[in-house]
Amino acid sequence: MRPTGKLHLGNFMGALANWVKLQEQYECYFFIADLHALTTDYADTSQVATNTLEVALDFLGAGLNPENCTIFVQSQVKQHYELPLLLGMITPLGWLERVPSYKEMIENLAQKDLTTYGFLGYPVLMASDILLYQPQFVPVGQDQQAHVELTREIARRFNQFYKLGEQEVLPEPKVLLTPSPKLPGTDGRKMSKSYGNTIQMTDPEPVVRQKLKTMVTDPARIRRTDKGDPDKCPVGDLHKVFSTPATLAKVYDGCRSAGIGCIECKGWAADALVQVLNPIQERRAGFTEPQVLEILHEGSSRARARAQQTMDEVHAAMKMTLTGDTGR
Ligand code: AMP
């Protein structure tokens, strides 16, 4: 997760909520991708450190438990600078230029100059982020599958060039497709910080209720007496993700018969959101800054040790050791 600000409900439902479950079943590494923040926001780094702490708090509030998983900061694990250089040597330019989000982001973020080496190379950084931990799986939503596919291609190319006995140094990771409902923001577009339409995980109840009040609804339902369709309404989408089946049934009946108005329906959606957010915010408030820093230091140290094992194998396979010793 990039430290570009506090996390919102889209980040929670699309990623974090799944991670909280995965930490019980797998050995997991989760990190705050501050180097990735530089790929687009290199001109102003003044907020990166603050945002890193905020994201760490959001992780902990959501229920990531440092006893069950490793939480770390990318820039504190120097192997994340090292492997991209080596993988960059073998990655054809065409592979990077073809990444779907590359052209899309250059067009969408026209106010920023993204014609940099670092931005073109971000998928190599991402591949390194993954491969350093020699994982079996990468838990991502559908929108990230292309990146994992490229990671697999880079790993394959590495393994063709460099071998360590019979062993593949960088096994190709598989996608662990996690459910990632696309959560709409208050304007009906995808919830995203860059659209200014988010409900943050830290928003207090009155703010959540106020934001819900301004949320767009089924455009065909203009008057209170018009019948609506929750399937064409962003508030309906929130109900589908957060409300109980009983509330959802009331929403469908009430909206389609014009038995309820949008204000009432939004109130129920706000109730459901507040129920989800309350325990997260309580847990978040239980951590002090020194505690969070300690968790990040400890996690980064664990990640460094694991990543170094991979780098030792990478160096040995590439015969990039001073003695020419293969390490075996
Ligand atoms: P971003 O910072 O936008 O790259 O998002 C980080 C993670 O949150 C990614 O895994 C996204 O898939 C997920 N995410 C972001 N916005 C939403 C949204 N509106 N609905 C669902 N998932 C989202």
Side-chain angles (χ1 to χ4, degrees), residues 1-2 8 10-11 14-15 143-144 180-183 190-192:
M1 205 81 82
R2 290 154 42 110
H8 55 72
N11 300 134
D143 57 335
Q144 293 287 328
S180 176
K182 192 165 138 198
L183 219 63
K190 180 184 169 181
M191 188 180 289
S192 165

Side-chain angles (χ1 to χ4, degrees), residues 205 208-209 212 243 264 266-276:
E205 180 168 345
V208 173
R209 293 196 181 278
L212 256 283
S243 290
E264 194 172 0
K266 286 173 166 183
W268 296 342
D271 292 343
L273 293 193
V274 166
Q275 278 223 338
V276 171

